[in-house]
């Protein structure tokens, strides 16, 4: 079946809705492909995914989206923008491919590649180089990261932290760690080997 022009497909049992300008449905393969201004809604988990192209495999309950992909987890205030994303509905697992920006609680902005988001565990991680910035203008650069979202626990390797990152260089504190574990909620941390560069006027 090929449908064009403000097409909407609703699965009342799975509580899934797909909207697009053009939709292909193969009953034999039980697959839906959607093109142009696509919006996928999972009402059970209060998730929306928008992109220019989506393929949904009903038997596997698996979704693949590419081109200007935006994931919005409305229950947990998490927004992800990326090049491509795969959603395994039964496992509540997402993984991205390519450049990825994750906005968590409008409090932490992660910029990375090939990121995994486990919704049931509320966990975000990647083995790729990552940067993160918080509301206090503290900048983190990590070789890899693993972030527990609800607890606000960040674990990483090859870490650079820059405090007052928006200030001139002589007003910044810089910390270098081989690895570390950071409790961002309570501002505590435990690290391996460290090198610290303090701002010029730290002792007046």
């Amino acid at each position: 079946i090929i449908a064009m022009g403000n097409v909407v497909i609703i699965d009342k049992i799975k509580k899934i809705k797909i909207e697009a300008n053009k939709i292909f449905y193969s009953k034999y393969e039980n697959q839906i492909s959607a093109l142009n201004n696509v919006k996928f809604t999972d009402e059970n988990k209060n998730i929306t995914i928008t992109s220019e192209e989506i393929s949904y495999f009903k038997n596997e309950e698996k979704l693949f989206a590419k081109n200007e992909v935006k994931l919005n987890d409305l229950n947990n205030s998490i927004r992800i923008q990326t090049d491509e994303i795969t959603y395994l509905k039964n496992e509540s697992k997402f993984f991205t491919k390519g450049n990825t920006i994750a906005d968590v609680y409008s409090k932490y902005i992660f910029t990375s590649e090939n990121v995994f988001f486990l919704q049931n565990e509320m966990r975000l991680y990647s083995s790729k180089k990552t940067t993160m910035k918080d509301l206090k203008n503290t900048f983190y650069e990590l070789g890899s990261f693993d972030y527990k979202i609800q607890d606000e626990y960040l674990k990483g390797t090859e870490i650079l932290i820059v405090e007052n990152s928006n200030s001139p260089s002589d007003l910044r504190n810089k910390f270098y760690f081989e690895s570390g574990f950071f409790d961002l909620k309570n501002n505590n941390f435990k690290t391996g080997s460290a090198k610290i560069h303090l701002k010029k006027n730290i002792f007046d």
Side-chain angles (χ1 to χ4, degrees), residues 16 52 69 98 109 115 124 131-132 134 152 155 162 179 181:
I16 285 172
E52 286 302 302
V69 182
I109 306 293
V115 174
L124 197 71
T131 63
M132 190 269 279
D134 64 17
E152 297 187 33
K155 183 168 68 173
V162 182
S179 61
F181 176 87

Side-chain angles (χ1 to χ4, degrees), residues 168-179:
S169 58
D170 61 344
L171 297 179
R172 302 174 188 171
N173 292 326
K174 294 183 180 180
F175 307 85
Y176 304 85
F177 305 109
E178 288 183 2
S179 61

Side-chain angles (χ1 to χ4, degrees), residues 6 12 24 35 49 54 74 91 98 102 117 138 147 175-176:
N6 297 320
K12 293 183 177 179
F24 302 84
L35 298 171
I49 298 173
I54 277 178
L74 299 170
E91 301 175 37
F117 170 41
T138 302
Y147 182 59
F175 307 85
Y176 304 85

